[in-house]
Amino acid sequence: MRVNILKGTYLEFKKMKKKKVLIIALLFTLVTVVWTMSVSNNFYSRGETSPSDMWLYGLTSIAQINALLSPIFLSITASKVSEIEHRGATLKILLTRQSRANLYLSKFVYCEIVATLCTLVQFLGFIAATYFSDFFEAVPVSLMIQSILAVIVVNTMLIAIFLLVCISIKNQVYGVGSGLLLGLLGIISMLFPRNIAMFIPSYYYMDLIPARMIMGTKRITGFEVLPFDLGTIGIVMVFSLFLIVVGLIFFNRKEV
């Protein structure tokens, strides 16, 4: 019986059971929440902002740490879900039960589910942590929803990039290396003008978050709430779809 994408995704979860991907995901999520609360507490203790602005600072902090760490986490996930197909006759055996397109898309869906769960836990963990602090006001629901959607959209683009690299190249060092590179570029992209930073995929974690720091000469002078940038969201989604199609083409041409 041929395997469809749903069944294929289930099989990917079974194959990844011993790869400790979910443990890595949990550690990544915990680091982002602890880091965000730590820098938020430090920022508030200096008396440079009010509780009404702390949510905006927290969101920008999440965006920055995502720009640094998410590419690394997603590249590791893509590498682990791809490496087994590079061993011996594994790919030949798998293709007797499912098409190349189904196999590739199953891996993509697996990565997408793991990344989305991480994003939800990250933001819910952040919200939960604020209840134990005295420097956050009520949860800005609309900003939270916009931020979650923004992160999911950028995750999708990066998954498409890393899966293309990891499934096409046998040496998985290139996949993880690309994650390290994009993580480094992501965190330093805030120093670049937008017309340059926009070519760095991980920059969009910061660009699409609906909050922005207003920088003075030596310190943060305030924050602003930005409208949801549907135009950029659309461009990122179209580019992600393009990368998925390219990945399918490369995988279809891969020798068994």
Side-chain angles (χ1 to χ4, degrees):
M1 188 176 76
R2 301 292 285 179
V3 176
N4 57 30
I5 294 176
L6 185 62
K7 179 67 173 177
T9 304
Y10 170 74
L11 292 175
E12 292 301 327
F13 272 95
K14 288 192 69 175
K15 285 191 284 184
M16 291 298 105
K17 202 170 183 179
K18 296 182 180 180
K19 295 289 185 179
K20 298 182 174 59
V21 171
L22 295 181
I23 294 177
I24 296 172
L26 177 61
L27 290 174
F28 160 74
T29 305
L30 287 175
V31 167
T32 60
V33 174
V34 171
W35 171 269
T36 301
M37 293 305 298
S38 175
V39 296
S40 297
N41 180 59
N42 183 55
F43 182 73
Y44 184 74
S45 65
R46 298 200 301 266
E48 297 180 5
T49 190
S50 64
S52 61
D53 282 339
M54 282 308 298
W55 280 107
L56 300 178
Y57 181 78
L59 289 177
T60 55
S61 297
I62 288 176
Q64 289 170 5
I65 196 169
N66 276 339
L68 173 63
L69 294 184
S70 286
I72 300 172
F73 163 66
L74 293 175
S75 66
I76 292 172
T77 304
S79 174
K80 285 185 174 294
V81 82
S82 302
E83 65 180 353
I84 192 172
E85 271 63 56
H86 293 293
R87 298 178 183 174
T90 304
L91 181 58
K92 183 180 293 186
I93 295 170
L94 289 171
L95 293 178
T96 62
R97 297 291 305 278
Q98 61 189 124
S99 67
R100 287 176 180 261
N102 276 358
L103 181 58
Y104 189 85
L105 292 176
S106 295
K107 293 181 181 300
F108 181 87
V109 173
Y110 168 83
C111 294
E112 188 72 44
I113 291 174
V114 171
T116 300
L117 287 175
C118 277
T119 300
L120 294 176
V121 173
Q122 180 187 61
F123 278 90
L124 291 175
F126 173 53
I127 292 170
T130 62
Y131 282 98
F132 297 95
S133 69
D134 57 358
F135 48 86
F136 283 93
E137 292 188 345
V139 179
V141 178
S142 62
L143 287 181
M144 286 292 135
I145 293 174
Q146 291 178 39
S147 299
I148 291 170
L149 291 175
V151 174
I152 291 174
V153 167
V154 182
N155 283 346
T156 301
M157 175 173 60
L158 289 178
I159 289 169
I161 292 172
F162 296 134
L163 194 58
L164 170 60
V165 174
C166 292
I167 205 72
S168 303
I169 303 175
K170 187 173 183 178
N171 191 340
Q172 296 301 292
V173 171
Y174 291 102
V176 178
S178 64
L180 292 170
L181 176 61
L182 285 184
L184 176 62
L185 290 175
I187 196 62
I188 66 174
S189 64
M190 66 177 73
L191 304 175
F192 301 156
R194 189 178 187 276
N195 59 351
I196 296 176
M198 63 185 294
F199 293 102
I200 302 173
S202 44
Y203 161 75
Y204 289 95
Y205 283 114
M206 296 179 290
D207 188 58
L208 293 178
I209 285 286
R212 190 79 76 248
M213 295 178 182
I214 301 174
M215 301 299 297
T217 54
K218 295 184 178 180
R219 64 184 184 90
I220 300 169
T221 59
F223 297 88
E224 59 180 334
V225 178
L226 304 176
F228 202 43
D229 191 349
L230 291 175
T232 304
I233 288 280
I235 292 171
V236 172
M237 292 177 67
V238 170
F239 184 59
S240 300
L241 181 60
F242 169 75
L243 290 172
I244 293 171
V245 172
V246 172
L248 282 169
I249 293 172
F250 270 84
F251 191 52
N252 281 331
R253 294 178 178 179
K254 183 178 177 65
E255 292 184 5
V256 178

